[in-house]
Amino acid sequence: MTTLIKLLTASIVSASLLTACAAPIQEPSQLDQAIASDQRSDKNKARDVYRHPKETLEFFGFDSSMTVVEITPGGGWYTEILAPAVKGKGKLYGAHYPDTGEDNYFSNSRKKLVKMLASNEMYSEVELTDFVPRQESALAPKGTADLVLTFRNLHNWKEDGTLQVFKDAYTALKKGGVLGVVEHRMPESQNFEENINSGYFPEALAVKLALEAGFTLVETSDINANPNDTADHPRGVWTLPPVLRLGDEDKAKYLAIGESDRMTLKFIK
């Protein structure tokens, strides 16, 4: 009987220790909730496997209390995550092309973004600013931003435009603020000038321009790398998903490759 009592006591003590040592259940962060939200379209969620939004934003040091600038939100893929992720705690600026009233890509893109932001209450705190490629632009009030982000844009701005954007980001950021860059990576073996319209951009050039704008390179990451992407496709980066510009031609091949190989760069002011 004494042995049985000792065994029972030991079991109770062990169970109590396990309970005491068990890690407390953590509530999902505001970022986690935003990524998992039903407000995100299924089409956009399907891109998570290639774009790794949680890992990417955490690499850049994202926090829900930050003042964040997203440059040219476009269709709003990241806006759909960032807006609810900072709502009520931080601030999100969308630095986008102005609507000049003309019937062109820039004005129409702004109109579509405005319509998207008006479609759901979760975007109610987003503030749009005017960004003009290759011209000095106030992405946010000077020295107020904690984090400036650009996703897959450098190839549109080319070398001179990218330098100006980086200078604008430097102006918008606080001291110690972060510039986060994700871009289609051109292989070192390719000549940029010969492939300037491929949609890819050299990583070394991106770093050079950021340093020229005043930034310090903190870290690089392979979060968004894709070794299957050779970056030599017939219709440039748009040959790959999600665009699939060749339609059904070799579609299985390009779906198997997935989205582009991307650099992920973190700079600090």
Side-chain angles (χ1 to χ4, degrees), residues 45-122:
K45 283 184 176 180
R47 308 261 63 81
D48 288 359
V49 66
Y50 303 114
R51 299 182 179 181
H52 313 100
K54 177 178 171 63
E55 295 85 353
T56 299
L57 291 174
E58 288 182 343
F59 172 72
F60 292 142
F62 173 86
D63 183 273
S64 290
S65 64
M66 284 181 165
T67 294
V68 181
V69 178
E70 182 186 6
I71 307 177
T72 60
W77 193 92
Y78 255 102
T79 311
E80 202 174 50
I81 295 170
L82 290 168
V86 301
K87 193 171 177 18
K89 293 183 180 179
K91 177 70 178 179
L92 177 62
Y93 289 98
H96 205 63
Y97 313 120
D99 179 5
T100 62
E102 300 170 87
D103 184 14
N104 57 33
Y105 169 79
F106 302 104
S107 291
N108 292 334
S109 180
R110 177 67 169 241
K111 289 186 179 76
K112 288 178 182 178
L113 182 60
V114 168
K115 183 177 180 180
M116 171 191 165
L117 297 180
S119 71
N120 195 299
E121 194 273 337
M122 72 178 180

Side-chain angles (χ1 to χ4, degrees), residues 20 124 173 197 213:
S124 62
L173 284 164
N197 294 316

Side-chain angles (χ1 to χ4, degrees), residues 182-196:
V182 177
E183 173 62 321
H184 312 294
R185 176 164 40 206
M186 179 174 287
E188 293 181 4
S189 59
Q190 289 188 14
N191 182 287
F192 181 47
E193 294 302 322
E194 292 177 0
N195 297 279
I196 199 166

Side-chain angles (χ1 to χ4, degrees), residues 3-242:
T3 301
L4 179 59
I5 291 173
K6 288 181 178 179
L7 288 171
L8 289 171
T9 302
S11 297
I12 292 170
V13 171
S14 297
S16 298
L17 288 172
L18 286 171
T19 301
C21 294
I25 298 175
Q26 293 186 340
E27 292 294 323
S29 68
Q30 196 161 322
L31 175 59
D32 288 327
Q33 293 179 54
I35 291 171
S37 172
D38 291 338
Q39 301 288 354
R40 293 187 66 209
S41 68
D42 290 339
K43 181 180 178 180
N44 283 354
K45 283 184 176 180
R47 308 261 63 81
D48 288 359
V49 66
Y50 303 114
R51 299 182 179 181
H52 313 100
K54 177 178 171 63
E55 295 85 353
T56 299
L57 291 174
E58 288 182 343
F59 172 72
F60 292 142
F62 173 86
D63 183 273
S64 290
S65 64
M66 284 181 165
T67 294
V68 181
V69 178
E70 182 186 6
I71 307 177
T72 60
W77 193 92
Y78 255 102
T79 311
E80 202 174 50
I81 295 170
L82 290 168
V86 301
K87 193 171 177 18
K89 293 183 180 179
K91 177 70 178 179
L92 177 62
Y93 289 98
H96 205 63
Y97 313 120
D99 179 5
T100 62
E102 300 170 87
D103 184 14
N104 57 33
Y105 169 79
F106 302 104
S107 291
N108 292 334
S109 180
R110 177 67 169 241
K111 289 186 179 76
K112 288 178 182 178
L113 182 60
V114 168
K115 183 177 180 180
M116 171 191 165
L117 297 180
S119 71
N120 195 299
E121 194 273 337
M122 72 178 180
Y123 302 121
S124 62
E125 297 177 11
V126 179
E127 184 174 340
L128 295 183
T129 57
D130 290 342
F131 162 71
V132 180
R134 298 173 182 81
Q135 294 182 25
E136 184 176 349
S137 302
L139 308 179
K142 183 178 180 179
T144 62
D146 298 290
L147 180 61
V148 174
L149 300 168
T150 170
F151 301 102
R152 306 176 310 282
N153 285 314
L154 307 192
H155 61 279
N156 292 318
W157 303 328
K158 306 299 188 288
E159 184 171 346
D160 57 339
T162 296
L163 177 58
Q164 182 59 59
V165 172
F166 286 172
K167 289 179 178 178
D168 294 340
Y170 194 89
T171 300
L173 284 164
K174 302 173 181 176
K175 185 177 181 180
V178 168
L179 168 65
V181 176
V182 177
E183 173 62 321
H184 312 294
R185 176 164 40 206
M186 179 174 287
E188 293 181 4
S189 59
Q190 289 188 14
N191 182 287
F192 181 47
E193 294 302 322
E194 292 177 0
N195 297 279
I196 199 166
N197 294 316
S198 67
Y200 292 89
F201 199 90
E203 183 170 332
L205 179 57
V207 172
K208 173 181 175 293
L209 295 173
L211 297 182
E212 189 174 336
F215 287 100
T216 298
L217 177 64
V218 178
E219 193 176 356
T220 66
S221 174
D222 286 332
I223 295 169
N224 298 298
N226 180 2
N228 295 321
D229 178 19
T230 56
D232 58 355
H233 314 298
R235 300 296 295 275
V237 72
W238 303 279
T239 309
L240 300 176

